[in-house]
Amino acid sequence: MTTSYELPVTKPSTKPWSEIWNFEVLVPKPTELAGNVVTLLWPIINQATITGRNLEETIGDQFRRLAEQWRNETSMLSSPTETILHPAYWRIILMGLSVVPLILRDLRETGGYWFFALEKITGATPPGANSSDLNQVIEAWLNWGRANEYIV
Amino acid sequence: MALTQQELKVFPSLRMGRFREMSRRTTTRRDVKYNCIAFAAGDTTQPWWPPVPTVQRFYYWPAGIPVEETLDAFMSAFASLGYTPCSSPNLEPRIEKVAFFVKPNGVPGHAAIQRENGMWHSKLGDLEDIEHNLRDLECATYGTVQAYMQRTRRDS
């Protein structure tokens, strides 16, 4: 006799990114836990507590560091090849979808060649993103970000 | 915005007081409207670079010039503007000169154009236009000055 299983269907969240990223994993206070050991270790436990907010900050800090490195080391370049092949730029691409809201925020504030990273990460091609006018391309991606709730 | 200390670190020879900013960013947005090659070619409407995939639509490159990141290709592009190779960066009356910086791997890193006062004028990537001593921009990012070209000044 064989048993068939249905794979669970995961629907994409309809919540805005800001809500998804603001969840927190609650950890009980040390007074709620028994034993001196836990109390002694509380500062370490507390520091290691993972919350959604911390996760965002961690990703955000990493993104900001890499983005700043990319900007600092490419802003004086004329070569688009070197700008886009910069290791910090590719490390940001490898961070995946989690950095899309951060890229879009940076794109809105500083412009530049973020569209290539957005293409690679999302696989999307928003209307207008193939324009030869960089400002139009930037606007196309910002509109895409708003429509997909990456920008709130 | 003026050039920041962080940005100046790229150019070890470029000291405060030895260059002059000719333009200044008014926003935090990167100014990719034109680049150093376009600026040296007298075009501030579009960046110049041999077309590379993904960003080629944003860059101009003269028709018929080899699409390669080599000094020869860049000099050919400027030859199409009436420039001819020359051997010296020295100021000469009614002569306009361009200097090419090339990195050790042979890829051009920068171009600067000589002003009538003998100083050199550059657009630093997405940053400011500055007036400077030619070799003050030699660095790992731009490479060293490897070639010069000249033509009669158009306004003379």
Side-chain angles (χ1 to χ4, degrees):
Chain A
M1 182 179 169
T2 56
T3 310
S4 63
Y5 297 96
E6 281 190 10
L7 288 171
V9 177
T10 308
K11 290 183 180 175
S13 171
T14 54
K15 288 182 179 178
W17 276 89
S18 58
E19 277 183 31
I20 294 171
W21 284 27
N22 280 341
F23 75 89
E24 290 188 2
V25 178
L26 298 175
V27 173
K29 293 283 185 290
T31 50
E32 297 166 24
L33 301 169
N36 290 332
V37 175
V38 173
T39 306
L40 282 172
L41 290 177
W42 175 248
I44 298 168
I45 296 170
N46 190 36
Q47 200 171 15
T49 300
I50 296 172
T51 68
R53 201 179 300 277
N54 285 347
L55 184 64
E56 183 188 18
E57 284 168 359
T58 304
I59 292 169
D61 287 347
Q62 192 180 359
F63 171 80
R64 276 184 285 277
R65 179 174 54 75
L66 290 169
E68 190 172 340
Q69 182 190 352
W70 176 62
R71 240 188 311 277
N72 286 338
E73 294 177 11
T74 62
S75 58
M76 70 295 299
L77 296 176
S78 285
S79 163
T81 317
E82 285 184 78
T83 299
I84 282 179
L85 292 182
H86 192 277
Y89 190 83
W90 279 88
R91 285 193 64 190
I92 288 171
I93 290 174
L94 291 173
M95 289 170 78
L97 278 172
S98 60
V99 291
V100 169
L102 303 171
I103 290 177
L104 288 166
R105 193 184 306 166
D106 199 277
L107 181 69
R108 187 171 55 188
E109 291 167 5
T110 66
Y113 288 130
W114 280 123
F115 70 91
F116 180 72
L118 289 166
E119 280 173 16
K120 288 289 170 203
I121 294 171
T122 68
T125 312
N130 284 327
S131 167
S132 59
D133 180 336
L134 186 59
N135 286 328
Q136 281 184 18
V137 175
I138 289 172
E139 208 47 50
W141 276 103
L142 293 178
N143 288 336
W144 176 89
R146 288 182 200 104
N148 289 278
E149 298 184 324
Y150 283 107
I151 299 176
V152 289
Chain B
M1 290 174 69
L3 284 171
T4 65
Q5 288 296 326
Q6 183 71 34
E7 288 158 355
L8 285 171
K9 277 183 190 172
V10 174
F11 309 104
S13 304
L14 194 65
R15 297 276 182 267
M16 284 294 183
R18 287 182 58 181
F19 70 93
R20 193 155 61 105
E21 288 177 359
M22 308 300 287
S23 70
R24 194 164 272 203
R25 284 165 286 172
T26 54
T27 70
T28 54
R29 277 205 168 193
R30 293 179 72 157
D31 178 9
V32 292
K33 189 176 172 190
Y34 61 95
N35 61 5
C36 66
I37 308 300
F39 185 74
D43 182 358
T44 55
T45 64
Q46 57 194 345
W48 286 36
W49 201 262
V52 293
T54 72
V55 292
Q56 59 189 4
R57 62 188 186 273
F58 303 119
Y59 286 82
Y60 169 78
W61 195 239
I65 304 302
V67 179
E68 53 188 37
E69 294 175 317
T70 63
L71 178 59
D72 283 349
F74 279 61
M75 290 180 77
S76 296
F78 277 75
S80 72
L81 300 174
Y83 283 92
T84 55
C86 63
S87 57
S88 155
N90 295 340
L91 181 65
E92 296 177 46
R94 295 181 299 281
I95 296 294
E96 188 170 53
K97 294 189 177 182
V98 171
F100 295 94
F101 293 65
V102 181
K103 289 182 283 190
N105 64 2
V107 174
H110 184 66
I113 189 162
Q114 192 176 40
R115 292 171 63 83
E116 285 171 298
N117 63 2
M119 294 292 282
W120 293 79
H121 204 171
S122 286
K123 169 80 158 75
L124 303 180
D126 303 338
L127 309 176
E128 279 77 1
D129 305 343
I130 66 165
E131 190 181 76
H132 58 93
N133 294 310
L134 181 59
R135 294 190 181 275
D136 281 358
L137 291 190
E138 287 187 330
C139 61
T141 304
Y142 283 1
T144 55
V145 179
Q146 299 281 315
Y148 309 98
M149 295 184 86
Q150 67 176 37
R151 72 177 178 185
T152 304
R153 283 195 184 277
R154 287 181 170 177
D155 52 1
S156 61

